[in-house]
Amino acid sequence: MTYDNILPHLSMLRDSVRTDAYRRAIAEVVRPGDRVLDFGSGTGVLSVFAERAGASRVYALDRSPMLNAAKQIFSDNDCKNVEVIFGEGDTIELPTEVDVIVSEWMGHFLFAEQMLEPLLRLRDRFLRKGGRIIPDRCSLHAGLVTAASHFDELTFLRTRPYGIDFGAVERWPFCEIGVVRFQHDEILGDTASLGEIELTTLPRMPLKWSGRITSRDPGVVFGVCGWFDAQLSPGVRLSTSPLEPPTHWWHFFFPFDRPLELSAGETVDIEVKIVPLGMQNGYEWRAVTPRETREGDNMVHQAWLSRTR
Ligand SMILES: C[S@@+](CC[C@H](N)C(=O)[O-])C[C@H]1O[C@@H](n2cnc3c(N)ncnc32)[C@H](O)[C@@H]1O
């Protein structure tokens, strides 16, 4: 994912569920006189919010040339307390400790990008004892997809389209993660929490996550849907669930290569493993019922295809 272009930033800024939640959380957490680090400042929107909340100093840190535009944005918005720092999260120096770190580090399904580890290292080096982090807790969640249309799209190559045998690649769509916007009525009512992290104390990025879904009614499901929630401040929770208003993150779709029938009361144990792959994270996943197992190995989401194939 490159942040050197404006379109990813436009998409994040237009996501008012996300951006307004950060605005409210920053107003709640940042106190007048605080020193704030904005890790991955992009266009600088969170730094502006921090200055407006009364921060005496805001360090806007980013490795992308978008920081040049941010400089102009700070000047045009009369933000006199913001200092820009160009560099990799791990390698920079700050003149002081900070009271608050704010960061919008979350990728699709939380971990698709690799910003959490550098955030933790910045926390250990620069956050004062008792300092605050926005967000301070994040959780992963999973549901089961009941809408056949998402499965049908992936079976297109099995239908000999245009009279051509695509057998060589017909399984491939089931080996990659879709970034899909599920509607609330396209997943089973019962969902699973896969776990939670607490950012002020977390030692390292956890690689294994798991949870259980119990299907109340019989039905057919077509894959696993994944999303995250973030507690930005005590009073502000940002949810990317298909049951909540949509955000630009949409949802992860780990597809099954054939429908899975569930009987009433049947359990599905979901396991997800994060697999760091250089500049990105891949995923392994399993969905285990008492009768069978569905799984995928080393899957990456489709935005990365051009780099990985
Ligand atoms: C998801 S965007 C958030 C941008 C902005 N904070 C916002 O809320 O609109 C993440 C930003 O972090 C920057 N970034 C990612 N990893 C970084 C790293 N290791 N060091 C410095 N900047 C990083 C990217 O260049 C990008 O601008």
Side-chain angles (χ1 to χ4, degrees):
M1 179 77 174
T2 174
Y3 287 103
D4 296 0
N5 306 330
I6 194 67
L7 285 184
H9 296 277
L10 181 64
S11 154
M12 292 184 287
L13 294 170
R14 290 188 68 237
D15 179 351
S16 58
V17 172
R18 174 203 89 117
T19 310
D20 260 331
Y22 266 92
R23 186 177 54 74
R24 286 183 283 120
I26 289 168
E28 188 184 329
V29 170
V30 173
R31 299 173 192 145
D34 273 350
R35 296 153 302 176
V36 176
L37 169 62
D38 176 3
F39 171 47
S41 53
T43 55
V45 55
L46 307 185
S47 296
V48 175
F49 291 156
E51 161 134 356
R52 288 182 180 171
S56 60
R57 200 83 195 138
V58 182
Y59 301 105
L61 161 64
D62 208 290
R63 65 183 176 193
S64 120
M66 195 53 61
L67 208 51
N68 294 322
K71 247 188 223 172
Q72 184 69 45
I73 290 168
F74 297 138
S75 154
D76 292 346
N77 288 277
D78 206 23
C79 293
K80 297 194 170 63
N81 301 329
V82 184
E83 186 177 317
V84 301
I85 300 179
F86 180 76
E88 275 295 324
D90 297 62
T91 58
I92 58 113
E93 290 298 330
L94 292 182
T96 62
E97 288 190 320
V98 295
D99 305 288
V100 179
I101 297 179
V102 60
S103 183
E104 201 276 72
W105 57 270
M106 299 88 80
H108 299 292
F109 200 42
L110 207 52
F111 296 117
E113 293 174 40
Q114 291 194 329
M115 287 185 71
L116 178 58
E117 289 284 335
L119 171 67
L120 298 181
R121 289 192 284 270
L122 283 166
R123 175 201 66 187
D124 293 343
R125 291 177 65 204
F126 299 117
L127 186 65
R128 75 159 169 80
K129 203 164 180 296
R132 291 144 271 148
I133 303 187
I134 304 173
D136 68 351
R137 275 182 289 136
C138 293
S139 50
L140 271 191
H141 303 265
L144 292 167
V145 176
T146 54
S149 55
H150 297 284
F151 172 79
D152 293 343
E153 273 182 31
L154 302 185
T155 59
F156 178 71
L157 299 175
R158 293 177 182 172
T159 64
R160 283 188 69 94
Y162 318 107
I164 299 173
D165 182 342
F166 283 99
V169 288
E170 73 176 31
R171 265 195 52 76
W172 201 336
F174 295 94
C175 301
E176 287 167 2
I177 304 166
V179 178
V180 172
R181 183 168 153 192
F182 290 106
Q183 306 294 327
H184 64 92
D185 56 356
E186 293 183 330
I187 63 163
L188 208 67
D190 309 283
T191 62
S193 165
L194 302 183
E196 183 174 83
I197 51 176
E198 141 96 71
L199 274 291
T200 42
T201 53
L202 182 71
R204 299 222 47 185
M205 178 172 84
L207 298 180
K208 288 187 180 167
W209 299 74
S210 59
R212 169 172 285 187
I213 299 175
T214 305
S215 169
R216 251 170 283 185
D217 302 310
V220 179
V221 291
F222 300 93
V224 176
C225 160
W227 68 91
F228 71 89
D229 287 356
Q231 193 72 40
L232 298 185
S233 66
V236 183
R237 185 171 185 81
L238 169 63
S239 175
T240 69
S241 161
L243 308 174
E244 299 289 340
T247 69
H248 78 287
W249 280 285
W250 294 11
H251 313 108
F252 255 10
F253 180 33
F254 300 104
F256 296 157
D257 62 357
R258 58 198 188 284
L260 174 68
E261 284 187 29
L262 295 177
S263 43
E266 192 157 18
T267 55
V268 184
D269 288 312
I270 313 268
E271 297 164 19
V272 174
K273 195 170 154 205
I274 320 292
V275 187
L277 300 171
M279 293 286 287
Q280 64 185 94
N281 287 324
Y283 291 83
E284 291 176 13
W285 63 270
R286 301 176 87 201
V288 182
T289 75
R291 287 175 293 137
E292 59 176 309
T293 297
R294 303 290 173 89
E295 56 195 336
D297 272 350
N298 275 327
M299 292 168 83
V300 290
H301 75 80
Q302 58 185 336
W304 293 101
L305 292 189
S306 55
R307 291 187 183 192
T308 54
R309 302 274 177 206

